[in-house]
Structure formats: structure tokens, C-alpha cells
Amino acid sequence: MDRENGDGDIEGGGADDGGFRSSIGRKYRPVLANDRAVLEMSSIDQGSSSSASAFPDQNPNLRKVNTSVNGSSDAKEENLSHEQKPNGSRQQESKLELFGFDSLVNILGLKSMTGEHVTQPSSPRDGEDISITAGLPKPAAPKLGTLMGVFIPCIQSILGIIYYIRFSWIVGMAGIGETLLLVSLCGTCTFLTSISLSAIATNGAMKGGGPYYLIGRALGPEVGVSIGLCFFLGNAVAGALYVLGAVETFLKAVPSAGIFRETVTQVNGTAIAQPIESPSSHDLQIYGIVLTILLCFIVFGGVKMINRVAPAFLIPVLFSVVCIFLGIFLAGKDHPSEGITGLSSETFKENWSADYQKTNDAGIPETDGSVTWNFNSLVGLFFPAVTGIMAGSNRSSSLRDTQQSIPVGTLAATLTTTSLYLVSLMLFGAVATREKLLTDRLLTATIAWPFPSLIKIGIILSTMGAALQSLTGAPRLLAAIANDDILPILNYFKVGDGGEPHVATFFTAFLCIGCVVIGNLDLITPTVTMFFLLCYTGVNLSCFLLDLLDAPSWRPRWKFHHWSLSLVGALLCIVIMFLISWSFTVVSLLLASLIYKYVSIKGKAGDWGDGFKSAYFQLALRSLRSLGASQVHPKNWYPIPLVFCRPWGKLPENVPCHPKLADFANCMKKKGRGMSIFVSILDGDYHECAEDAKTACKQLSTYIDYKNCEGVAEIVVAPNMSEGFRGIIQTMGLGNLKPNIVVMRYPEIWRRENLIEIPATFVGIINDCIVANKAVVIVKGLDEWPNEYQRQYGTIDLYWIVRDGGLMLLLSQLLLTKESFENCKIQVFCIAEEDADAEGLKADVKKFLYDLRMQAEVFVITMKWDAQMDGGGSPAQDESMDAFTSAQQRIDDYLTQMKATAKREGTPLMADGKPVVVNEKQVEKFLYTTLKLNSTILRYSRMAAVVLVSLPPPPVSHPAYFYMEYMDLLLEKIPRILIVRGYRRDVVTLFT
């Protein structure tokens, strides 16, 4: 047949050998676009084209800067052409162009040299390339220092409602000794978390999202989103905690403001029972909802209004603390209240031990109270008093120097507040009786001097400020999670650059109001505790993982950290969670796990360079080193197919590989375990085709993912397919993880399309595999190969001719593990010489299969290979004879043409560019051998689901054309067959 354009599918044709371009106009049977196996393939996203070159002269988006002699830079914008000019023809527009770069101003983003602003990059998305040019954060004004940016916000968030209206009550319930243990435990937890936070925060620039950003970039998007959403819920619920604290304090200070009657409780354990009034739960709900709405209006006013209002809440807090300490030292000297003893060692001794009592819902002791208290429950009540250490990291975008301010400010605030709690518990335990500590919920206002009423105002303003911080930070945290575009369901909460998260604020206010309706402060605090502890655990685990792996990118400026401290901090957080409530702990972990699973299923892929990827990498390296370079034991042998994607035909557009090739590769894995390497070869020069190779590799990777095949894609650029495959077979893989089986499609089109270049290429590939000691599996009938939903019935027939290390037997067993072949049975046909002991061979094979735990029926077929086959035999023989006669005639014609060419040119017989020696009797013997084997297969296995036969090696010094004729005759009329050649290693073993 006349071949029009030299056929781009053949070696040296210059076409893309990966199946992306092929010859047009052929009459062979292609894989049609409407084939059932490829109907959905055309919709696959081929992926964006490869990223722009790192060199500015290849990237039109970069700017060139002319540098003068005196060092000043004159920035000039210029659009560069997309086409490359020949070397030496480009105009020299920069003195640094010799080095392949433009200017350090653009490469490193040094804006101060030119006054230009570089846009801050967004978070890495799926497949997006982030270069070093986007390494510096966008400047924003005004910038805050350590004091106002970190220390004061942390103090304001930590020192809140628990200290003012619950801490003295905790001292009375747990006693000074256990309260000291309680504060030390919680303070140590937050201190270790602050160290971990300092290390991570100083390992690079931070963006919005606070701890979510840190955890997500360290532990991956799934863990980051799950813990981030829990931390968001914790902040939203904490807002309700502070609102209820402010309302309760207000109603205590102004009882006449209550709408409903207050609850009166008789105090037990005192000499004279006195009525104690507590606000009505309905008043708490009504005023709490109103206050939440008012705070939301402030939040809607934007960041500027929040920054103006929030500092006003700080001065009353500091003033109230001073008044409390003054009142403690002056207590008992001037008009002392009942139960206030002043600083007394006797009172200190009486309050040292714990006295846990039952209380009502308001915390007032009652004999038959509904609430039972112990040390564990007090941990849950007190822990929110030490939260707030993330307030500084949440403001990272407003800090002048995050890598200095966050560690110093956070640790200073943690140590300051912990010291304040330790000193206060000593003073509270020495200044009032236990009855006073348990019954006076506003003891801090009672003992304050000189203005107790101002203390109540300070408590209200401080709690309102903390609530404002929660209602401000929670929506921005939710918006940051949504903007990372990991979870599609959160798209409603996205905000543009510089925008306010109004929708997220509405949602946060809704959650806050729901918690306010509950109206019980002591029931809300354990919930907040769990979410904050879960976040702290994530921060500690992030630092532990990063510090333990010690990747080259892990270079935090904060040096006072160690992985052991982070591990202790994480374990301490988990211990505190279980101390508080194992049921709440299980629920919170289950919630985080459900979010993690949902994100892993529904979320979009995001590569943030997290620590798990580094852990996988180091684990892979360690495993690779442990495997060594020695032979793999047959018990540990796994097939690692090198799937050669040469289509040997035309494929539909957008289909980079035969759609059934991945289905077959999956059949070689047991329960999906194993890895496949899909390779293709792109003809051409590497420097010219490098970008095309990247695009083709992305296309092939998309195909692999679509077919749910565990594997990787590789595209190799080479002058021709033979050289490319020879390089692949030598270098692909590492150590014992090198591919051990080469899988490819049989080129059925070569003869009917008269593609005489295919035999030399195909035979060369087989010879390369033999030299490299790789097993070979060649698939004929790939178009009809079943997918996972097409069940097959019948038999899997093995024509076992030569020793192959058990590869053919193992492949048949692997096929049985797939749903499509699980209903089939295995038949083993042993081909032996005519004078062999058939019964003895059958018994030996049966015993061998029994020891291998393989179920199969064994047949022994004896034949005399040298004798010619006479016509008039079985129908199978007659069919084979027709093919034999045609093959014999074509070989004779090819040999006659070779001899004529050699005689005309005065050279020896040449084929495939090298001299050959043709023994015509040997050629005839090979033809008869394949003829007999083909007729045998047609006789016994015409209805088999799949046939496996040993691959004969290409005869030495025979033309590749002859070998292809042998193979065609062997495979004639067999619809689906695997030609298998093992290698010099056993892949099965008889022993345990």
C-alpha cells in the first residue's frame, strides 16, 4: 500500500510518539471516538499548559530593567515576543542578560530598588506554580509592633470573664492546692503551645487564617480545614461565653434591670442561711441576644471601627486588676464585709484543701444540687481563661515584623497571665472564707478598692471586648478557609481582596445567638475548651512533625524549640481533653474526623508543601535504602509494570493512551496494590520539545487519574523511539523499585498498513528488554479487553512452553482477583516433545501447582516440531495452513527483494541497517513451529476468555520482518492473547 507522509507513528518519523499525533488516512481499525471505553475521555481536562519558563526572556509577563554603570536602575516595561529569536539575534536590553536573568529587582521582588509593587500571590491551587518571585508579603499600613500588635491583644483575650467571676469560686471549690495544680497544668499546656506557635510562625511569611494557616501548611489541607472549622466553632461559641459573662455581670450590678424575677437560693453550710440572688436565665437570653446584635453592628463597621473600639476596653481591664490587688491588701482594715478575713494564714490553711460540693445550675452550693463538681470538670471550666494565645498570630498581616513580634509577644502574654493567676489564687485563698468564695460570684468587685462599682463596669467592658474579638476573628477565619477553595460548600463565605466577610459574620452571629439561648455559662465553657484544645494539639503536632523531619525548608528564626517539647504539648492537650470529658473528647475528635473525611472526598486538591508530604518522602527514602540493591525475594515480589503507551495506531483526540491499557495494568495488581509507570516517547530535540513534553505528561497523568490507576506518568524526549526506549529501560526507577515488567500493545496494524518500519522497532524493544533482564507482556486484542464491569466466563488458558520463573502462572492468579475474571477457571497446557513422559510431566506440574496454592487443570500436549503438517486435518489446521501459506509467500518475496538489492549494490544481505544471515531451512522450521502452536491453541482455546502463551525470543541474525511474520502466524485468529516472557528471577515460591 502507498504510505502517504512517511507515517508519523514509525521510528524516525518525527511525530509525537506518545499517541498525541499519528498518521491520518489509514485504513487500519483505529480506536474510535465513540468506543464505549473512551466515550467519556474527551471530557477530561487536559490541564493547563506548562508553566512559563523561569527565564525572563521566555516569559512575557516579566519586565526587563536596564542597569546603568553607576548602579541605579531605570525600570522600563516592555512586552516581549512569545517567539524565540535565534541565538545572537536578540537585542541586548540588559547587562545581566548574559546570565539568563533580567534583574534582581524582578527576580527577588526587591521593590525598594524601583518603587514598584509586586502583587501578593494567592494560596497555591491545584496545579498552580508559585515561584520565588512571589516570596515576600504585600506591604500594608499601618504596621503594629510587639506591644500593640501581639502582647496587648493576647492579654485582652486571655484575661477575661473567668478571672473576674469564676476564678475565686474555683479556688473555693478546689482549694488552693488543687487550684495551683490546675493553673500549672493549663499554663504549661499553653506555654508549650506558644513555643510551637513561635517556631512555625517564624518559618516564613504568614497570611490570614491564623492557626488554620499554620496547621494547614504543616499538616496538609485536609487536617487544616478540619481543625480550622473546629477552631471557628470554638471562637463562635467563645463569643457567646463572653456575652453571657457581660450580661450576668450587668444584671448583678443592676438588679433592677432584670425583666423576670431573679432566682433566690438558700445558702447551705453557713451559720445563718442568707438568700442569694442569681439572674434569671430568660434575662440572660434576652440581654445576650441584644448585646450580640449590637456587637455585630460594630463588626459590620469594618476593621477600622473595631480597631478604634477594642482599645477602649483594655484600660478598664488594667485598672480593675490594680483595684482588685489594692482591695486584697487593704481588706479587713476598713469596714470589712462578712466572710472577708483579710490576708490571713489561718484562712490560707483552711482553704488549702479541696471541698467539692454539689451546686445548682448557677453554681450555688446545694445539698441536692443537680451539678456535681470534681477536678476534671474544673479543668474544663477554667481552661478558657488561658486561651487567647492565638490573638497575635491572627493579626499577622498587620504586624511590622511577624517573626519577632509573635514569639516575644505571645510568650510574654502567656507568662504574664499565668503568673497573675498563680499570685491571684494565693491571695484569693488567703483573703476570704470558703463560704464567701463559693457564694459571692463577684468577689473581685466586693474586695476591690476604692471603687467597686467601677470594677463591674470594667468586667462588662472587658468581656464585651473579648466577645468583639471573637465575633471579629471567627468570620475572618471562616472566610480564609473558604478563600483557599478547598471545600466547595464554603464558597458562600468567600470574600474578595480587602472585602469584609459579611456572610460569614451573619453565620457566626447565628451560632453565637444559638449558644446564648442556652444561657448557661458552665455548660458552654467545656465545649469551647474542646475546640481550643483540638487547635492547640494541631499546632503542637505541626511543629513536632516539621521539627522531627527537619526538611531543608524548616529554618525557623525562633531557636528555643525542640520536637520533644511539641510532642509533650500535644500529649498534654489530649490528656486535658480526656480529663475534662471523654465523651466530649470523642465527639470533638469524631467531628474533626468527619470533616477530614468529607474534605478528602469532596475537597479540591491543594499542594501546600505540608509536613506529611515530607514524611512520605523520607519514609520512601528510608524504605528504598532498606530494600537495597539485592534481589527481591519471591515472597515479596510485586509486579511494577512499565506501561509503554505506544498506541501502534490512531487514538481519539484528548486520549493520550489506549483506554484499555490502564484496565490491563490494573489487572496485574492484587487489590490495587502496586505501582504502574506509564511512559511515552516524544520524537525530537529535547530543547525544542521540553514544554510539549510537560504538557503531554500532564495529559497522561490526567488520564491515569481518570482510569483510577495507581501510577505515574513520564514523557521522554528522544531523537527516535528506539533510543528513547533504550534510555528508559536503563534508567527508569530507583534501586529495587525499578519496573520489572514491560507492558505494551501488539502492533496488529503493521502488515495490513504495510508499515515496514514497525518490525525493526518492535523487535528492538523486545531485545532491549531481554538484555535489561525485564519481563515482557504483550497484549493482542486490547480493543476487546474487558473493563471492571464486563464479567467474563470460560477459562484462562496457559500455554506453558518455557521456564519463566512462574510469571505466567502468577499473572493468571492476578487475573482471577479481578471481578471481570473471577468466574473463570485456569487451564495449563504443557507443550512437550513427542518422546517426553507426558504422565510424569503432568504429575510434576500438578504437584508444583498444589504447592503454589494454585487451582488449575493440567493438560500435556506432545508434538513433533520438525515434521511438516499435512493439509486435510482439523478445521483449526486448515485455518492455520492458509495463514502459513500466505506468510511463507511474503517471506519468500521479502527474501528475494533482499537478495536482489544485495546483488545490485554488491553488499551482503542487509536488513534493518545491519547484515543478516538467512538459513532458509531454519526459517521454514520456525514457520512450522508457530503454525503447529497456533493450530493447537485454536483447537483447545477458541472459546477461552484469555490465552497466555510464552513469547519466543527474536532469532539471532534474522530480519525483524521475519520475526513479525512468525508472531502474526502464532497469533492468527486468536482474539485475545497475552504473550509473556519471564526473566532470570523466580516470582513465585513453594515455601512459606
Side-chain angles (χ1 to χ4, degrees):
M1 296 178 61
D2 183 24
R3 297 186 299 109
E4 298 180 359
N5 60 17
D7 192 83
D9 274 332
I10 307 306
E11 174 187 351
D16 184 340
D17 195 53
F20 306 106
R21 298 191 298 269
S22 61
S23 56
I24 301 176
R26 297 297 177 198
K27 295 183 180 180
Y28 57 80
R29 178 186 176 188
V31 181
L32 301 177
N34 59 354
D35 193 297
R36 284 179 298 174
V38 295
L39 278 178
E40 299 180 5
M41 291 298 295
S42 59
S43 63
I44 294 182
D45 181 15
Q46 301 181 29
S48 58
S49 60
S50 55
S51 60
S53 172
F55 299 104
D57 60 330
Q58 296 176 356
N59 190 345
N61 295 325
L62 296 180
R63 298 173 178 174
K64 290 196 172 184
V65 178
N66 292 330
T67 307
S68 61
V69 176
N70 59 9
S72 63
S73 57
D74 182 16
K76 297 181 180 180
E77 293 188 13
E78 180 177 347
N79 294 325
L80 302 180
S81 171
H82 288 273
E83 300 180 358
Q84 287 289 337
K85 297 180 182 180
N87 292 334
S89 63
R90 284 196 300 262
Q91 296 179 357
Q92 295 289 332
E93 298 184 11
S94 171
K95 293 183 179 181
L96 295 176
E97 191 170 351
L98 172 64
F99 299 94
F101 295 100
D102 200 7
S103 167
L104 291 178
V105 176
N106 286 331
I107 295 301
L108 299 180
L110 302 178
K111 300 169 290 299
S112 60
M113 295 177 65
T114 61
E116 296 179 355
H117 296 285
V118 179
T119 304
Q120 183 181 7
S122 60
S123 296
R125 299 292 196 271
D126 185 16
E128 183 179 359
D129 294 328
I130 301 298
S131 66
I132 194 174
T133 59
L136 297 182
K138 181 179 179 180
K143 293 295 185 180
L144 302 176
T146 303
L147 182 64
M148 296 303 299
V150 180
F151 181 76
I152 297 302
C154 287
I155 289 290
Q156 188 176 8
S157 299
I158 296 173
L159 194 62
I161 183 65
I162 301 296
Y163 176 76
Y164 288 109
I165 68 175
R166 289 293 184 269
F167 193 49
S168 59
W169 181 89
I170 292 175
V171 174
M173 185 68 70
I176 298 175
E178 293 194 14
T179 306
L180 186 63
L181 176 62
L182 171 64
V183 174
S184 301
L185 182 69
C186 297
T188 303
C189 177
T190 55
F191 179 74
L192 294 177
T193 305
S194 299
I195 293 178
S196 299
L197 174 67
S198 301
I200 303 178
T202 58
N203 193 48
M206 288 181 56
K207 293 179 61 179
Y212 154 73
Y213 182 86
L214 299 177
I215 297 172
R217 270 60 182 179
L219 300 182
E222 294 87 357
V223 178
V225 171
S226 57
I227 295 182
L229 288 178
C230 290
F231 189 59
F232 158 76
L233 292 176
N235 277 278
V237 175
L241 168 69
Y242 298 132
V243 167
L244 286 175
V247 172
E248 182 177 347
T249 306
F250 171 73
L251 292 176
K252 284 277 189 179
V254 188
S256 60
I259 301 175
F260 298 89
R261 289 190 62 181
E262 296 178 341
T263 303
V264 178
T265 303
Q266 294 294 330
V267 179
N268 297 313
T270 56
I272 301 176
Q274 297 179 354
I276 300 297
E277 297 179 349
S278 60
S280 170
S281 61
H282 299 297
D283 286 337
L284 291 175
Q285 294 168 352
I286 294 175
Y287 279 99
I289 293 174
V290 173
L291 181 58
T292 303
I293 295 175
L294 291 177
L295 292 175
C296 284
F297 277 112
I298 299 177
V299 174
F300 275 113
V303 178
K304 291 183 178 180
M305 180 177 291
I306 295 171
N307 290 337
R308 291 173 181 173
V309 174
F313 298 135
L314 180 60
I315 297 176
V317 174
L318 300 178
F319 183 73
S320 63
V321 172
V322 174
C323 291
I324 291 172
F325 277 92
L326 289 176
I328 290 176
F329 287 107
L330 297 177
K333 296 181 180 180
D334 185 17
H335 306 290
S337 300
E338 185 178 353
I340 304 297
T341 63
L343 293 176
S344 169
S345 59
E346 294 296 328
T347 306
F348 186 89
K349 293 179 181 178
E350 292 176 0
N351 292 332
W352 176 261
S353 59
D355 185 16
Y356 295 107
Q357 303 178 28
K358 291 185 177 181
T359 67
N360 59 12
D361 292 338
I364 305 302
E366 286 185 356
T367 306
D368 55 349
S370 59
V371 182
T372 302
W373 294 94
N374 53 34
F375 181 81
N376 295 352
S377 56
L378 289 183
V379 173
L381 178 63
F382 173 74
F383 194 83
V386 296
T387 60
I389 60 176
M390 302 294 180
S393 62
N394 290 336
R395 301 188 178 195
S396 57
S397 59
S398 301
L399 298 177
R400 186 180 302 112
D401 186 357
T402 58
Q403 300 189 20
Q404 179 183 0
S405 298
I406 290 180
V408 176
T410 304
L411 288 169
T414 303
L415 293 175
T416 300
T417 52
T418 302
S419 301
L420 175 64
Y421 287 132
L422 291 174
V423 173
S424 297
L425 75 89
M426 299 286 187
L427 297 178
F428 287 153
V431 79
T433 62
R434 189 180 300 274
E435 289 76 17
K436 188 65 174 178
L437 293 173
L438 293 175
T439 57
D440 192 350
R441 302 296 292 271
L442 284 176
L443 179 65
T444 53
T446 302
I447 63 176
W449 183 88
F451 308 110
S453 59
L454 291 180
I455 300 302
K456 297 180 180 180
I457 297 175
I459 296 174
I460 296 173
L461 292 179
S462 65
T463 50
M464 288 178 60
L468 182 63
Q469 293 293 337
S470 296
L471 293 177
T472 303
R476 282 158 177 77
L477 173 60
L478 184 60
I481 299 174
N483 285 342
D484 274 336
D485 202 21
I486 297 297
L487 208 56
I489 197 174
L490 299 179
N491 289 341
Y492 301 103
F493 304 111
K494 285 185 177 180
V495 293
D497 293 338
E500 291 292 330
H502 296 305
V503 178
T505 303
F506 271 119
F507 183 68
T508 305
F510 175 78
L511 292 178
C512 186
I513 290 175
C515 294
V516 167
V517 170
I518 298 176
N520 192 326
L521 197 65
D522 298 330
L523 292 179
I524 292 177
T525 48
T527 307
V528 177
T529 303
M530 289 301 171
F531 289 136
F532 276 93
L533 278 169
L534 192 62
C535 177
Y536 295 167
T537 304
V539 172
N540 282 298
L541 287 178
S542 301
C543 186
F544 164 72
L545 181 63
L546 294 174
D547 209 0
L548 187 65
L549 295 174
D550 200 15
S553 61
W554 177 246
R555 301 184 304 275
R557 292 183 180 274
W558 182 258
K559 302 300 181 182
F560 304 100
H561 66 91
H562 192 265
W563 62 265
S564 59
L565 295 178
S566 300
L567 180 60
V568 172
L571 294 176
L572 192 58
C573 291
I574 297 175
V575 168
I576 292 177
M577 291 176 70
F578 280 98
L579 278 178
I580 296 171
S581 171
W582 67 268
S583 57
F584 272 94
T585 302
V586 172
V587 170
S588 61
L589 292 176
L590 182 61
L591 176 62
S593 301
L594 290 176
I595 298 175
Y596 177 89
K597 187 65 176 178
Y598 181 79
V599 174
S600 62
I601 296 175
K602 298 292 185 180
K604 297 181 181 179
D607 187 5
W608 293 343
D610 55 85
F612 282 133
K613 299 290 175 57
S614 180
Y616 297 153
F617 179 78
Q618 293 204 20
L619 182 61
L621 289 181
R622 182 168 298 181
S623 301
L624 187 61
R625 289 195 300 267
S626 65
L627 285 176
S630 59
Q631 287 190 2
V632 176
H633 194 276
K635 289 193 296 184
N636 302 326
W637 188 88
Y638 284 85
I640 305 178
L642 178 69
V643 183
F644 187 41
C645 297
R646 179 68 174 176
W648 308 112
K650 183 180 179 181
L651 293 174
E653 189 177 0
N654 299 333
V655 181
C657 183
H658 194 288
K660 293 297 184 67
L661 207 50
D663 294 331
F664 177 73
N666 280 329
C667 288
M668 302 180 69
K669 304 173 184 176
K670 186 176 182 180
K671 297 181 180 179
R673 298 189 183 99
M675 180 184 69
S676 302
I677 303 176
F678 289 76
V679 297
S680 190
I681 300 171
L682 190 64
D683 291 344
D685 182 78
Y686 176 71
H687 297 281
E688 297 177 356
C689 302
E691 296 300 320
D692 293 336
K694 292 179 182 178
T695 303
C697 191
K698 289 183 179 180
Q699 211 174 22
L700 189 55
S701 297
T702 305
Y703 161 80
I704 296 172
D705 294 338
Y706 171 80
K707 298 297 288 184
N708 295 322
C709 184
E710 291 186 3
V712 295
E714 294 289 345
I715 302 294
V716 175
V717 180
N720 55 65
M721 186 169 64
S722 296
E723 292 188 18
F725 185 83
R726 196 165 294 126
I728 289 172
I729 206 69
Q730 295 181 74
T731 60
M732 191 66 67
L734 294 172
N736 273 326
L737 291 183
K738 289 184 178 180
N740 45 33
I741 301 179
V742 176
V743 178
M744 59 180 168
R745 183 188 184 188
Y746 183 76
E748 304 171 47
I749 66 168
W750 80 275
R751 181 156 44 81
R752 63 173 176 265
E753 295 303 317
N754 196 25
L755 305 178
I756 60 174
E757 294 88 347
I758 283 184
T761 304
F762 182 73
V763 172
I765 290 175
I766 296 177
N767 285 325
D768 291 341
C769 294
I770 295 174
V771 172
N773 194 27
K774 305 292 184 184
V776 182
V777 177
I778 302 173
V779 189
K780 186 210 172 188
L782 194 60
D783 295 336
E784 289 79 24
W785 190 266
N787 58 33
E788 56 181 331
Y789 305 108
Q790 296 173 329
R791 291 186 174 271
Q792 302 296 302
Y793 299 91
T795 60
I796 299 175
D797 291 353
L798 281 63
Y799 285 83
W800 198 10
I801 302 175
V802 297
R803 183 178 181 274
D804 60 358
L807 178 60
M808 189 183 297
L809 294 171
L810 185 61
L811 286 178
S812 64
Q813 295 296 317
L814 292 175
L815 288 176
L816 286 182
T817 63
K818 302 302 174 183
E819 293 184 4
S820 52
F821 290 99
E822 63 182 1
N823 295 321
C824 297
K825 295 182 179 180
I826 298 178
Q827 295 184 150
V828 178
F829 294 87
C830 299
I831 309 298
E833 295 287 347
E834 189 177 33
D835 55 353
D837 183 7
E839 292 300 325
L841 177 61
K842 183 176 182 178
D844 290 342
V845 173
K846 280 188 173 181
K847 178 64 168 58
F848 180 68
L849 293 178
Y850 176 80
D851 292 338
L852 288 177
R853 293 87 62 201
M854 294 183 179
Q855 298 284 340
E857 190 173 357
V858 180
F859 301 91
V860 176
I861 300 176
T862 59
M863 60 179 64
K864 192 172 183 180
W865 298 98
D866 294 336
Q868 296 186 8
M869 183 178 292
D870 299 327
S874 65
Q877 293 174 346
D878 295 338
E879 294 178 17
S880 299
M881 282 301 300
D882 295 337
F884 170 80
T885 304
S886 299
Q888 194 176 39
Q889 182 62 47
R890 286 190 297 270
I891 286 178
D892 291 341
D893 295 342
Y894 187 83
L895 184 57
T896 301
Q897 183 181 358
M898 287 173 56
K899 290 179 178 178
T901 302
K903 183 178 180 179
R904 184 175 61 252
E905 297 179 356
T907 60
L909 287 178
M910 301 286 294
D912 311 321
K914 59 183 179 180
V916 296
V917 178
V918 178
N919 185 333
E920 296 187 22
K921 290 185 178 181
Q922 191 179 37
V923 171
E924 186 177 10
K925 177 183 177 181
F926 289 161
L927 283 174
Y928 276 115
T929 299
T930 54
L931 167 66
K932 290 184 178 182
L933 187 55
N934 175 261
S935 62
T936 302
I937 295 174
L938 290 178
R939 182 185 307 164
Y940 296 105
S941 305
R942 187 183 293 271
M943 302 303 294
V946 63
V947 176
L948 287 78
V949 66
S950 298
L951 172 69
V956 180
S957 301
H958 279 222
Y961 182 90
F962 289 9
Y963 182 75
M964 293 302 296
E965 289 291 353
Y966 306 153
M967 293 297 297
D968 276 359
L969 182 56
L970 174 63
L971 308 178
E972 182 72 21
K973 302 293 184 180
I974 305 174
R976 191 187 299 159
I977 187 170
L978 305 180
I979 311 107
V980 181
R981 177 177 176 82
Y983 62 129
R984 295 185 296 272
R985 291 183 185 177
D986 290 334
V987 299
V988 293
T989 179
L990 304 176
F991 304 101
T992 300

